[in-house]
Amino acid sequence: MRDSPDQAETHTLRGATDRPALLTIRDVVEQMEPLATAKLDDYLHPSVLEVMLDDGLCGADEARIDIQWTTRDDYKFHYTDTEGVNLRWGKHPHAGDYIHVSGLEHYHPSPNASSDPDEVEESCITQSPEELVTRAVLKLWRVAYHTDSYEPLNAGRNPP
């Protein structure tokens, strides 16, 4: 059964891509993370900031974080690596489908960034400015990298 257009809209980012926000995020990534190289998919009309990582989590040789940010401050930070692991931090409407999530901020855990309502968690990232969200994601990634574990990626969240 296909979702109606109204249902599909509840799980999408609202607003146009915010190029200045993506440029700010790029600058933060370049300042904070020595393993990262960040570039816009299209410099003048971007849809995503691609962050290539020279190493990944838990045995992955490389990884990437694709970042989308809109003029309504909705976002997705999607991590994927050479081991096939995916996870995602997001802030956007989800129609209340995620049982353990009260606000817009949520986290889709590894290994597959599932959207199963029982698996999506409330995000430990509750700030909105793009610089603070980016710093939080990079810090969580770096702690997970050093501990060789996915557990710290949503550290500080409220348990379901």
Side-chain angles (χ1 to χ4, degrees):
M1 182 170 132
R2 290 180 49 121
D3 288 339
S4 73
D6 289 340
Q7 286 175 320
E9 180 65 24
T10 63
H11 285 268
T12 62
L13 300 182
R14 302 166 299 170
T17 299
D18 189 336
R19 182 178 176 273
L22 289 177
L23 291 172
T24 297
I25 293 167
R26 180 201 62 190
D27 293 346
V28 170
V29 168
E30 289 177 351
Q31 291 169 1
M32 283 188 65
E33 184 48 62
L35 292 175
T37 304
K39 69 175 187 154
L40 298 172
D41 63 334
D42 181 306
Y43 190 76
L44 294 178
H45 303 287
S47 61
V48 67
L49 176 69
E50 299 167 341
V51 178
M52 301 305 295
L53 298 162
D54 291 337
D55 205 356
L57 299 174
C58 301
D61 294 331
E62 333 179 291
R64 186 178 80 238
I65 301 174
D66 291 331
I67 303 168
Q68 295 173 285
W69 197 282
T70 74
T71 55
R72 299 210 32 205
D73 291 330
D74 285 0
Y75 63 80
K76 287 183 186 176
F77 282 68
H78 182 175
Y79 170 91
T80 188
D81 66 28
T82 54
E83 297 294 311
V85 172
N86 286 276
L87 54 98
R88 188 166 79 240
W89 295 268
K91 178 185 172 194
H92 57 83
H94 47 79
D97 291 346
Y98 302 147
I99 296 167
H100 306 294
V101 178
S102 59
L104 298 179
E105 297 89 356
H106 54 279
Y107 174 72
H108 300 261
S110 64
N112 60 1
S114 173
S115 290
D116 181 313
D118 288 325
E119 294 182 25
V120 177
E121 304 170 0
E122 196 151 330
S123 178
C124 67
I125 302 171
T126 58
Q127 298 295 317
S128 292
E130 64 270 14
E131 184 173 345
L132 295 178
V133 173
T134 304
R135 288 180 180 279
V137 167
L138 292 174
K139 180 68 173 178
L140 292 165
W141 183 86
R142 182 50 76 169
V143 170
Y145 179 76
H146 283 295
T147 59
D148 203 29
S149 169
Y150 297 107
E151 288 301 313
L153 291 169
N154 200 27
R157 72 175 175 86
N158 296 323

